[in-house]
Amino acid sequence: MVNFGALTYLSGRGYSTEQVLSEGIRIFEPGKNVHADVEFFCSESSVVFPCRSMSGAVQGLHLTYWGEQEKRYEWRSSAARWLPICYATPHDWETLYETGQLILVEGVYDRVALKNAFPELAVVARLSKSVASIEW
């Protein structure tokens, strides 16, 4: 079940309801939470994106906080922080394995914009700023 507040927030940034439901995006209220086997604590309401390694395994979460304070982002990982963590849907990973090509962007909202423009291509957001590039 997806919180309708999250749908409103995400739809204002280009996501359709179908994308939110298919991509595993969730909203969490403040407190201790578990998502995709990663435990984390929210200080404010948060939109959470499960993030995957190039092999497709969930390695951590990309959290977006918003509210009265300035919007900010955090990364919560169950693995080492140096891993090249990416955000993409299962369909993107399948397309990548089939074609060997991808559009690599910095953040999830960049990914949404390009995915809407080029739905047939694999669009992957690189969420680990410590990794200079991803070699495929």
Side-chain angles (χ1 to χ4, degrees):
M1 184 63 91
V2 175
N3 182 298
F4 286 106
L7 289 178
T8 302
Y9 175 78
L10 292 165
S11 67
R13 283 148 181 80
Y15 280 94
S16 68
T17 301
E18 292 75 22
Q19 284 176 312
V20 173
L21 294 173
S22 67
E23 296 186 14
I25 303 166
R26 296 291 180 268
I27 187 170
F28 290 97
E29 298 306 321
K32 185 176 179 181
N33 298 280
V34 177
H35 186 50
D37 296 325
V38 178
E39 291 188 7
F40 63 99
F41 182 84
C42 290
S43 58
E44 302 172 47
S45 293
S46 310
V47 172
V48 178
F49 301 83
C51 307
R52 301 173 185 275
S53 67
M54 292 301 286
S55 67
V58 173
Q59 297 290 340
L61 304 173
H62 178 256
L63 282 67
T64 301
Y65 296 104
W66 75 97
E68 295 180 8
Q69 296 181 357
E70 182 178 336
K71 184 172 65 175
R72 65 185 189 279
Y73 308 94
E74 286 189 23
W75 164 252
R76 304 291 177 90
S77 176
S78 60
R81 291 181 63 91
W82 54 265
L83 290 173
I85 306 302
C86 304
Y87 174 69
T89 65
H91 179 264
D92 286 307
W93 293 118
E94 291 173 10
T95 302
L96 175 58
Y97 286 127
E98 289 172 3
T99 65
Q101 299 179 330
L102 61 80
I103 299 175
L104 186 63
V105 299
E106 182 180 357
V108 289
Y109 299 126
D110 298 327
R111 182 200 165 279
V112 172
L114 282 170
K115 190 64 179 179
N116 287 337
F118 306 102
E120 73 284 358
L121 300 177
V123 185
V124 178
R126 178 176 60 83
L127 301 174
S128 176
K129 297 201 183 286
S130 63
V131 179
S133 65
I134 294 176
E135 296 181 7
W136 180 251

